[in-house]
Amino acid sequence: MGNCTVKCGLLLVLFISLLHNGYSQTQLEKTTVLKETNVSALKLMAERSALAYKANKEKALKLASKKGWEIRKEFEGGFYELQGVSESGQPIYYITTNADAAESVSTNELYTGGSLGLSLDGTDMTAGEWDGGDVLTTHQEFNNTGSSRVTDKDGVNSTHYHATHVAGTIIAGGVQAAAKGMAYNASLDAYDWNSDEAEMAAAAADGLLISNHSYGYITGWYWNGSSWVWQGDTGISSEEDYHFGFYGSGCQDLDGIAYDAPYYLICKSAGNDRGDGAGQTGHPIDGGADGYDCIGWKGNAKNILTIGAVKDVNGGYSGNPADVEMTSFSSWGPSDDGRIKPDICGNGYNLYSTYDDNNSAYNTISGTSMSSPNVTGSLLLLQEHYNENNGSFMKSATLKALAIHTADEAGPDNGPDYMFGWGLLNSKTAAQVISNENISSFINEESLTNGGTFTLDVTPTGTEPLVVTVVWTDPEGTPVAAQLDPADVMLVNDIDVTVADGNKMLYYPYKLDRLNPSAAATTGNNDVDNVEKIVIENPSTDTYTITVNHEGTLTNGLQDFSLIVTGISNGYAVVTTGDVSNITLNSADVSGEVVSDNGNAVTERGFVYNLNGNPTTSDNKIVVGSGVGVFSTTLNNLSQATTYYVRAYGINSQGTIYGDNKLFTTLCDAYSTFPFIEEFSDQTLPGCWDNVDNEGSGQIWEFVSGGYQLGGNESFNSTTESDGFAVLDSDQYGNGNSQDADLVTPVFDFSSYNEVVLNFEHYFKSYPSSSATLLYSINGGSSWIAIQSWSSTTNNAELFSQDLSSEVAGESNVKFKWNYTGSYGYYWAIDDVEITTNAIATEYTVTFNVTDAATSNAISGAEIIIDGNTLTTNSSGEATVDLIDGNYSYSVNAS
């Protein structure tokens, strides 16, 4: 036979075998809150605000020494303390704004034995308090459960009666029944008022839901303990302190905190300025002859709840607005752009509460300082009630909307005014709205995108008013230059709500006239307030359509809003969303229940899900039958390491109704394709990474922009730091707290690689007792081994590169982590993490069969030449060889 060529039909059969085996809240509730909280922005603000406060306070103290300014003064009925210096060089002072309270706002009806059948007391709930001085944490009213329910967050040694009285109004346990606080079994985190904005931002970043602030800057006339003094800036006006009604940088800061922390509601006393300076000459009294426009400074922020003070409403509100009597001192609006301030009123007259003389001391004080905690503690109970019913908390806009929606009418005319705001808080009515959600009321948290419209059809009962309230947490406004009563509108995203009846008649929200502040409210297009409320006194039982849209372009392209509706006969189904379980890389099990069809058969039910929250049937939808009862399914084809929002839905003849949002995150697969590169350019914790606070200090790794100043005054100059980097900065809160936190990578599978190199850029600034350590794990984080530690300052920016082949090559469950432990003021910045590998060559066993194409007979003795190496087939025409991954050339000679 001649030589066999390709024309001989050489048949090669390859058999390949692989020889190498390659806040008193539960943690879930807190995670849900923080999921929608801009933690990085809040922490950055906390640091910058702390530094700015410290610098301005030091400047003020130096000027005080030179000019003889008072730094702190106690006097009958209050005290004040120097905080800083204004741009025009004037001293800035904080001043205090000093069982009937619960009755006045119907909070007592929420307690055990109340008419609602509830048992709310604040258990497992926490409020924040900022005030002048420290709370007496040892007072018997805070220790009635065996240990103090007040945590001193500042470590201030000097207690103060005002802070202690405010704390008691919120949470006193009722050792003396007359002193019982609104949320009498809740906890309180107490701070003094120094550097308050920085501390508020940090607390919001840790999930705080509500806080009380019964103080404000001295504005206009003030009593110094012996005489009246005028604090206004005569360079702008000698008639009025321009800070009354003015939206300044303090308002902007509070609105920014609230916007970045959408579950955090800031409750602020309106102040006690109205009528101050009576009998004095040189300047009119605060509020002028008519009493309006005397809410100062931060009380004019949009996203907070500004609270005025009324007298006792003995026996509770009876339906007569005349029951609600205004105090002589409570400050009135409007804000300069015409927004409705105060937002609401509480009882601030002769409140009996805790005092700091000793552990059993009490006293009676009046002021908006007292009405604010009266409201704060009551709203905390409403959050507790909502959580019991829904397994989640309300956003601050929802809680604010609920308080405004259900407020008792007060004042000379129907609707809001600049004296009482939207009226007197009614905790009982608000709790009933929560209890009757999806039966006779709606509590919706929705979103608008640019050009978007939200609609909802409702059927009124016809026997009570149809009431619709919309509130949104608006982006911070831009203050104008200091001037008297500028009309510049501070609203950023202008949301509009209207209601149409079956005859296409449109109903509009209330609005007030800043130029005629005593006039009754009218209705129309409100383009100044981020609160809109419509009341239709005598609706029919026809279908009404609620429409929410917006004017202009939405800043940031999206605006969340909260909607409360009452006075309806709801024929919608009642639907709940169960917990998400059996979460994998690409799937999750979900459950729901149609609790009731409300007399209208449910024709379709199922689940909807998306990546942004509040999914609807226009998003991903899975139908799971019809009717009432429990139902479930599995969501498949999900992306790994991705957070999803899911809720159950039901459809009947009335329309579509949804259960609550549930969020879950799919699991992470191990990375096995390299190089792996992470530059932290998204400025958030990357997917599948972990950020671990080992000591519970709240200080964790941040992901920041290139403009971030390490320790407040240094920059990190990595290759791509302008796009973002990771940093653990122990001075980020301006208080030098200690920390011990880990930044942990996802799992890497190096089973197919024989070489692994880890690279990153970093800058470690050392301090005694601080250290930075790089570690690895080969069992997915169950145990760790140190690679290298640093205790001396590194270069800026130093490149770390190390071959870790002997440590991790061939392993399939590898993680790396950066641990920084320190006590004060220094940091470790990380950027440009890169992992490179070389593959392990895979060995294959290859068998060649050589046959004659004409006869199909095996050819023995044939030569198979592979890269110059010769094999010879056996009597069966077979030749076997072991090959390593690569490219080979071969030829066959057969005779």
Side-chain angles (χ1 to χ4, degrees):
M1 296 180 65
N3 292 336
C4 180
T5 65
V6 173
K7 289 182 180 180
C8 294
L10 175 67
L11 179 62
L12 301 180
V13 182
L14 283 72
F15 301 97
I16 303 175
S17 63
L18 184 63
L19 301 182
H20 182 80
N21 292 322
Y23 275 100
S24 52
Q25 302 151 246
T26 68
Q27 190 57 46
L28 177 60
E29 291 165 349
K30 185 174 180 180
T31 299
T32 302
V33 169
L34 294 181
K35 187 70 179 180
E36 298 188 52
T37 299
N38 192 341
V39 174
S40 295
L42 289 166
K43 289 184 175 180
L44 183 58
M45 180 184 180
E47 178 188 14
R48 290 175 174 172
S49 180
L51 292 171
Y53 173 83
K54 182 178 179 181
N56 196 28
K57 182 71 174 282
E58 289 176 350
K59 179 180 179 181
L61 290 174
K62 290 179 180 177
L63 287 172
S65 176
K66 183 183 298 184
K67 297 188 176 186
W69 294 343
E70 289 181 310
I71 295 175
R72 178 184 174 99
K73 184 170 182 178
E74 298 272 355
F75 56 93
E76 182 69 26
F79 80 101
Y80 53 81
E81 183 177 6
L82 183 65
Q83 291 294 300
V85 60
S86 71
E87 292 181 0
S88 61
Q90 291 185 300
I92 300 173
Y93 293 89
Y94 267 153
I95 190 170
T96 54
T97 52
N98 285 333
D100 292 334
E103 186 176 83
S104 295
V105 297
S106 301
T107 300
N108 60 311
E109 302 293 354
L110 278 59
Y111 302 153
T112 299
S115 63
L116 298 184
L118 303 175
S119 298
L120 302 175
D121 59 9
T123 298
D124 295 329
M125 302 296 293
T126 301
E129 178 195 338
W130 277 261
D131 212 288
D134 201 12
V135 175
L136 180 63
T137 62
T138 56
H139 197 286
Q140 64 180 3
E141 293 288 349
F142 308 136
N143 289 267
N144 59 304
T145 57
S147 60
S148 182
R149 291 178 288 114
V150 179
T151 301
D152 182 354
K153 303 293 286 188
D154 278 333
V156 179
N157 293 320
S158 176
T159 64
H160 198 275
Y161 75 85
H162 189 272
T164 304
H165 195 279
V166 167
T169 307
I170 301 173
I171 69 157
V175 176
Q176 280 201 20
K180 187 176 182 179
M182 302 302 105
Y184 58 88
N185 204 33
S187 298
L188 187 76
D189 287 344
Y191 304 77
D192 71 6
W193 57 23
N194 295 313
S195 197
D196 53 354
E197 289 179 10
E199 293 170 341
M200 291 163 66
D206 197 40
L208 184 65
L209 292 174
I210 195 167
S211 63
N212 186 81
H213 305 262
S214 291
Y215 56 92
Y217 288 123
I218 290 178
T219 315
W221 289 101
Y222 74 97
W223 181 255
N224 70 0
S226 58
S227 62
W228 287 103
V229 180
W230 199 70
Q231 185 69 10
D233 188 337
T234 56
I236 294 177
S237 172
S238 61
E239 294 296 301
E240 176 188 325
D241 189 329
Y242 82 90
H243 289 105
F244 285 130
F246 188 76
Y247 187 95
S249 59
C251 294
Q252 183 183 39
D253 289 343
L254 292 190
D255 282 342
I257 292 172
Y259 186 76
D260 286 328
Y263 285 86
Y264 174 43
L265 182 61
I266 300 163
C267 296
K268 169 79 175 67
S269 59
N272 305 328
D273 285 279
R274 184 165 53 91
D276 279 359
Q280 303 304 301
T281 59
H283 312 281
I285 61 174
D286 292 343
D290 61 6
Y292 293 99
D293 190 16
C294 54
I295 295 178
W297 296 79
K298 298 178 184 180
N300 295 291
K302 297 176 292 185
N303 297 329
I304 69 173
L305 196 70
T306 304
I307 302 162
V310 300
K311 294 184 178 181
D312 295 342
V313 182
N314 294 319
Y317 190 78
S318 66
N320 184 0
D323 289 343
V324 186
E325 183 180 353
M326 175 60 60
T327 57
S328 61
F329 49 79
S330 186
S331 293
W332 293 352
S335 62
D336 287 344
D337 60 356
R339 279 178 291 112
I340 298 168
K341 289 289 175 179
D343 295 291
I344 204 164
C345 285
N347 188 343
Y349 187 72
N350 287 346
L351 263 70
Y352 183 76
S353 188
T354 47
Y355 234 54
D356 77 329
D357 291 344
N358 54 64
N359 290 334
S360 58
Y362 300 85
N363 210 331
T364 298
I365 312 178
S366 296
T368 57
S369 276
M370 280 63 250
S371 62
S372 185
N374 171 223
V375 171
T376 299
S378 301
L379 295 184
L380 191 66
L381 295 184
L382 294 179
Q383 279 283 29
E384 180 187 6
H385 184 37
Y386 186 87
N387 186 55
E388 287 181 351
N389 280 20
N390 296 279
S392 60
F393 294 107
M394 291 177 277
K395 290 183 177 178
S396 61
T398 311
L399 182 57
K400 182 177 178 179
L402 183 62
I404 288 171
H405 184 95
T406 57
D408 289 327
E409 177 61 55
D413 302 292
N414 286 337
D417 56 47
Y418 291 130
M419 300 177 288
F420 298 86
W422 291 95
L424 176 65
L425 178 73
N426 190 320
S427 302
K428 175 183 176 180
T429 307
Q432 288 174 313
V433 172
I434 295 172
S435 297
N436 295 324
E437 184 180 4
N438 295 328
I439 299 172
S440 60
S441 63
F442 282 136
I443 303 175
N444 287 24
E445 294 179 343
E446 306 289 347
S447 298
L448 281 180
T449 56
N450 275 316
T453 298
F454 170 87
T455 61
L456 177 67
D457 291 337
V458 297
T459 303
T461 63
T463 60
E464 59 185 314
L466 172 62
V467 185
V468 178
T469 303
V470 170
V471 175
W472 63 101
T473 301
D474 199 48
E476 59 268 37
T478 302
V480 298
Q483 55 191 284
L484 185 64
D485 297 332
D488 303 70
V489 175
M490 291 296 113
L491 189 67
V492 176
N493 287 336
D494 188 0
I495 302 296
D496 291 324
V497 59
T498 56
V499 178
D501 64 14
N503 297 316
K504 307 299 182 184
M505 179 177 179
L506 283 179
Y507 298 86
Y508 290 92
Y510 283 119
K511 57 188 298 188
L512 292 174
D513 182 1
R514 62 182 287 272
L515 299 178
N516 191 7
S518 63
T522 58
T523 60
N525 181 30
N526 186 331
D527 56 6
V528 297
D529 288 290
N530 59 327
V531 174
E532 297 201 355
K533 182 176 179 179
I534 297 174
V535 178
I536 303 173
E537 290 290 349
N538 297 296
S540 70
T541 55
D542 295 332
T543 298
Y544 286 67
T545 300
I546 301 168
T547 300
V548 182
N549 51 28
H550 69 92
E551 298 181 46
T553 301
L554 294 175
T555 296
N556 302 324
L558 176 74
Q559 180 61 60
D560 295 336
F561 67 91
S562 299
L563 170 68
I564 311 288
V565 186
T566 57
I568 56 176
S569 175
N570 180 17
Y572 288 84
V574 178
V575 178
T576 60
T577 309
D579 293 332
V580 183
S581 60
N582 297 325
I583 301 169
T584 70
L585 297 171
N586 308 113
S587 67
D589 292 344
V590 292
S591 64
E593 182 179 5
V594 177
V595 179
S596 170
D597 61 12
N598 271 328
N600 299 286
V602 173
T603 56
E604 179 180 308
R605 66 190 188 187
F607 300 92
V608 290
Y609 61 99
N610 66 13
L611 301 176
N612 305 312
N614 296 319
T616 68
T617 52
S618 62
D619 292 303
N620 302 295
K621 182 177 80 166
I622 298 178
V623 179
V624 191
S626 60
V628 298
V630 176
F631 57 98
S632 61
T633 192
T634 299
L635 307 182
N636 291 307
N637 301 315
L638 306 177
S639 299
Q640 66 167 309
T642 303
T643 297
Y644 289 91
Y645 295 82
V646 62
R647 55 183 179 175
Y649 75 92
I651 301 175
N652 63 13
S653 59
Q654 297 298 299
T656 304
I657 194 72
Y658 300 94
D660 295 318
N661 264 313
K662 299 288 185 178
L663 63 86
F664 65 95
T665 302
T666 51
L667 302 182
C668 301
D669 200 3
Y671 284 88
S672 58
T673 303
F674 300 92
F676 171 88
I677 298 174
E678 179 55 66
E679 296 178 345
F680 306 109
S681 57
D682 290 339
Q683 297 171 33
T684 58
L685 180 70
C688 298
W689 289 62
D690 291 319
N691 198 348
V692 183
D693 178 2
N694 292 317
E695 68 172 17
S697 67
Q699 302 197 64
I700 55 178
W701 288 79
E702 295 182 277
F703 305 90
V704 298
S705 66
Y708 180 92
Q709 296 294 299
L710 299 165
N713 56 20
E714 295 188 43
S715 297
F716 176 41
N717 300 310
S718 72
T719 305
T720 60
E721 61 87 17
S722 61
D723 296 329
F725 58 92
V727 61
L728 184 60
D729 186 342
S730 65
D731 202 28
Q732 60 186 297
Y733 301 124
N735 57 16
N737 285 346
S738 63
Q739 71 292 303
D740 177 356
D742 299 329
L743 180 61
V744 187
T745 68
V747 171
F748 298 105
D749 181 357
F750 298 125
S751 59
S752 298
Y753 302 93
N754 62 0
E755 181 178 300
V756 178
V757 177
L758 173 63
N759 304 285
F760 60 88
E761 292 182 87
H762 68 130
Y763 182 21
F764 170 64
K765 188 67 174 289
S766 70
Y767 188 78
S769 78
S770 66
S771 64
T773 305
L774 173 67
L775 307 97
Y776 75 94
S777 171
I778 59 173
N779 52 22
S782 296
S783 60
W784 294 92
I785 301 171
I787 298 171
Q788 183 169 327
S789 292
W790 293 265
S791 57
S792 300
T793 299
T794 62
N795 295 324
N796 186 4
E798 182 174 282
L799 174 65
F800 175 88
S801 180
Q802 186 161 329
D803 187 327
L804 299 174
S805 303
S806 61
E807 288 85 1
V808 300
E811 299 291 343
S812 61
N813 198 14
V814 178
K815 286 186 174 185
F816 299 100
K817 78 174 177 181
W818 292 260
N819 170 266
Y820 178 37
T821 302
S823 58
Y824 181 78
Y826 294 87
Y827 39 82
W828 197 13
I830 305 291
D831 201 5
D832 299 332
V833 176
E834 181 179 15
I835 298 173
T836 59
T837 59
N838 278 329
I840 296 173
T842 305
E843 186 175 9
Y844 302 95
T845 298
V846 183
T847 300
F848 296 87
N849 290 335
V850 183
T851 61
D852 188 311
T855 65
S856 297
N857 293 326
I859 302 174
S860 63
E863 293 181 346
I864 302 172
I865 303 170
I866 301 176
D867 281 1
N869 297 307
T870 301
L871 300 175
T872 303
T873 60
N874 60 21
S875 60
S876 298
E878 296 175 343
T880 300
V881 65
D882 291 339
L883 299 178
I884 305 297
D885 270 349
N887 297 313
Y888 297 91
S889 62
Y890 65 89
S891 62
V892 177
N893 294 321
S895 57

